[in-house]
Amino acid sequence: MMKQLIRLGLMLVAVLAMVSCTPSTPGAALKHYMSALSDKDYEEFVEGVKLSETDAAKAQEARDGLVAMIKEKGAKTLDEKGGLKEIEIVSEEIAEDGNSAVVTFKQHYGDGSVKEDTQKMAKVDGKWLMDIGNILNHLKNIHLNIL
């Protein structure tokens, strides 16, 4: 009986831990992804990007290309500004259907500068993702420009 109670308790803790790791609002999700970018965890940042590509192999190719692009260009831009020190969520406007939102946020940089911006978010399978449009076409254009 005691072992069953302990097992049940551990399962409950595990479920609560998984739920608490998933940002439940578009602003919290954006803050999580931007923090990953600041921490140079580019893979985690890109996991927060909504891709229009449904083919798994092509989607992974797009994610890999985006990670490479961010490592090359995005990291340099952040370093020039002294890093990203804080992400402040200003507002969230969630659509009536609850599946899309626009988040207004401020990025505070190490050099003292602040940039306010907006980000479209989309809810996919219960998870808020950054909606940045058709990233595959963008990546293809970048690769063509490099060649």
Side-chain angles (χ1 to χ4, degrees), residues 35-108:
S35 293
L37 180 64
S38 177
D39 294 339
K40 299 184 180 187
D41 185 353
Y42 306 119
E43 289 81 7
E44 179 65 21
F45 174 77
V46 170
E47 282 300 314
V49 173
K50 177 185 175 237
L51 296 177
S52 59
E53 184 58 59
T54 56
D55 179 83
K58 289 182 181 179
Q60 188 57 50
E61 180 183 334
R63 288 189 191 288
D64 292 345
L66 188 54
V67 167
M69 183 178 68
I70 292 169
K71 280 182 182 177
E72 181 182 334
K73 306 218 187 252
K76 182 180 178 186
T77 302
L78 279 177
D79 289 343
E80 288 173 355
K81 292 184 173 246
L84 186 58
K85 298 302 177 193
E86 180 187 355
I87 299 99
E88 175 187 352
I89 302 302
V90 177
S91 67
E92 296 176 321
E93 294 179 30
I94 300 174
E96 283 186 37
D97 66 4
N99 291 320
S100 63
V102 175
V103 178
T104 302
F105 65 103
K106 289 183 181 178
Q107 300 170 85
H108 298 262

